[in-house]
Amino acid sequence: MTEYGSVRQVELGKGGPVVGVQGLGCMGMSEFYGETDGTAARATLDAALAAGVTLFDTADVYGQGANEEFLAPFVAAHRDEITLATKFAIERRADDPRYRGVRNDPAYIRRAAEDSLRRLGTDVIDVYYMHRRDPAVPLAESVGVMAELVREGKVRHLGLSEVTGAELREAYAVHPIAALQSEWSLFSRDVERSAVGAAAELGVAFVPYSPLGRGFLTGAFADAAKELSAGDFRRNQPRFTGDNAEANAALLAPVREIARARGASPAQIALAWVQQRAEVHGLTVVPIPGTRKPGRLAENAAATRITLSAAELALLEPIAARVAGDRYPDMAFTSVGREV
């Protein structure tokens, strides 16, 4: 196994905060990936900070606020040592657990920000993301009120998630954007159509979520419907069940081959590939793999010290084009359909 060590630091966008080059996605500590051991999850937060991971990512939708509340004691204990990111825009309903709406209107954004500040127990959010875009609301209105939150001292930097390159440029014209967070991995390269190029042009950092393909790239499971618990949302994602899962599992052969040759894990190879997109595209890249176990955190952090060779990158290059199935059951929930 690759040696563990502290991660290096980078600037999250022009004028943005200095953070570890790998962050931590905290969503799974509260919801979506089955049962959680709270003690282990809290130990994972401490292990992250000890490893040099300083960007902690949550959202108001994770556990309907529970994830922000879970992070609050850690935030209070380490406020000056961490960069705290949260998001707004995805609306849920207590009477319909499957409902997911998108809200970008100014009044909603203000209310969401105040609620997140209260749950997190802090007076300022370091990076505040628009989690999803509602095309019915002009970006100038949404980013405009986000900019007001910056001027009021409630937010330090702005971020967007799942937007196109054109939308990123439009938003940046209203107020500087520190980071763009969208799915980017060996299995998901939609963002390379326009968003990555725009981010590089503007000096916006890219924060890939699900850089491990929600665990599939690690080999942790091969068919979600057969192996994961009934409450795990991956059971409903097209890539991870049935014929799609079988076809996609076969695509992992070069990942495993490179991992064996290097004495590393498949997860480390997948993360190293994402990290090297920084050099390929000329921008800052800060992946946020999620985990609830200190050992996995250390393993993931060690991937920041792996540099893949040209030959290894060539072996991995064809994978994304061969993936079977969409990222979500409803791709309208992503930026893909808005690409021109």
Side-chain angles (χ1 to χ4, degrees):
M1 189 66 67
T2 299
E3 182 184 357
Y4 300 151
S6 294
V7 304
R8 66 187 184 278
Q9 306 289 292
V10 294
E11 188 177 54
L12 194 72
K14 286 192 298 189
V18 174
V19 299
V21 76
Q22 183 182 111
L24 178 62
C26 300
M27 179 183 79
M29 294 179 176
S30 297
E31 194 181 16
F32 298 111
Y33 291 148
E35 293 296 320
T36 295
D37 180 336
T39 300
R42 285 187 288 274
T44 301
L45 297 174
D46 293 332
L49 193 55
V53 172
T54 59
L55 176 62
F56 292 82
D57 184 271
T58 183
D60 59 5
V61 73
Y62 301 159
Q64 301 189 66
N67 195 239
E68 291 179 326
E69 292 173 345
F70 173 79
L71 288 176
F74 178 77
V75 171
H78 302 285
R79 191 65 190 92
D80 295 336
E81 303 169 77
I82 68 171
T83 296
L84 179 62
T86 193
K87 316 177 197 72
F88 72 88
I90 301 178
E91 186 178 41
R92 298 172 69 175
R93 293 175 178 167
D95 61 347
D96 183 359
R98 299 178 67 89
Y99 175 80
R100 300 290 188 274
V102 178
R103 294 281 301 274
N104 288 174
D105 54 283
Y108 178 85
I109 294 171
R110 281 198 164 276
R111 185 167 69 252
E114 294 293 345
D115 288 345
S116 286
L117 287 166
R118 173 179 50 78
R119 285 189 293 263
L120 289 162
T122 186
D123 58 1
V124 63
I125 296 164
D126 296 318
V127 184
Y128 199 39
Y129 289 98
M130 178 191 293
H131 206 166
R132 290 294 188 273
R133 168 89 205 280
D134 176 5
V137 179
L139 263 176
E141 288 186 17
S142 303
V143 179
V145 74
M146 293 169 72
E148 290 175 6
L149 293 172
V150 174
R151 289 192 289 272
E152 292 165 11
K154 297 175 181 177
V155 169
R156 290 195 172 106
H157 305 281
L158 302 185
L160 301 173
S161 180
E162 289 284 352
V163 297
T164 67
E167 290 168 339
L168 178 59
R169 290 187 180 93
E170 183 182 351
Y172 200 98
V174 177
H175 188 279
I177 304 297
L180 170 58
Q181 181 180 141
S182 294
E183 188 167 355
W184 200 6
S185 73
L186 281 168
F187 267 27
S188 300
R189 298 178 64 175
D190 303 337
V191 292
E192 294 175 23
R193 297 182 191 178
S194 71
V196 170
E201 171 192 318
L202 296 168
V204 174
F206 209 103
V207 178
Y209 74 77
S210 297
L212 294 174
R214 296 181 174 82
F216 194 85
L217 287 166
T218 73
F221 66 97
D223 189 318
K226 295 178 181 178
E227 301 173 55
L228 302 182
S229 64
D232 195 308
F233 92 121
R234 290 171 291 184
R235 291 168 57 96
N236 299 315
Q237 292 188 298
R239 290 182 173 176
F240 304 146
T241 59
D243 292 342
N244 286 347
E246 183 177 358
N248 292 337
L251 298 177
L252 299 180
V255 181
R256 291 193 296 267
E257 177 185 339
I258 295 168
R260 281 194 300 268
R262 282 183 166 266
S265 69
Q268 289 174 325
I269 300 307
L271 287 171
W273 181 90
V274 175
Q275 202 73 71
Q276 277 180 252
R277 299 304 91 191
E279 298 172 16
V280 172
H281 296 281
L283 77 169
T284 298
V285 176
V286 182
I288 49 169
T291 184
R292 298 170 289 188
K293 299 178 180 179
R296 292 298 185 197
L297 184 287
E299 177 184 333
N300 292 346
T304 64
R305 308 225 313 259
I306 297 175
T307 301
L308 299 172
S309 69
E312 290 168 331
L313 292 172
L315 284 174
L316 300 172
E317 179 63 26
I319 292 176
R322 299 172 181 170
V323 172
D326 287 330
R327 293 195 278 133
Y328 291 95
D330 180 4
M331 286 296 285
F333 206 57
T334 74
S335 61
V336 173
R338 301 195 301 276
E339 291 283 4
V340 294

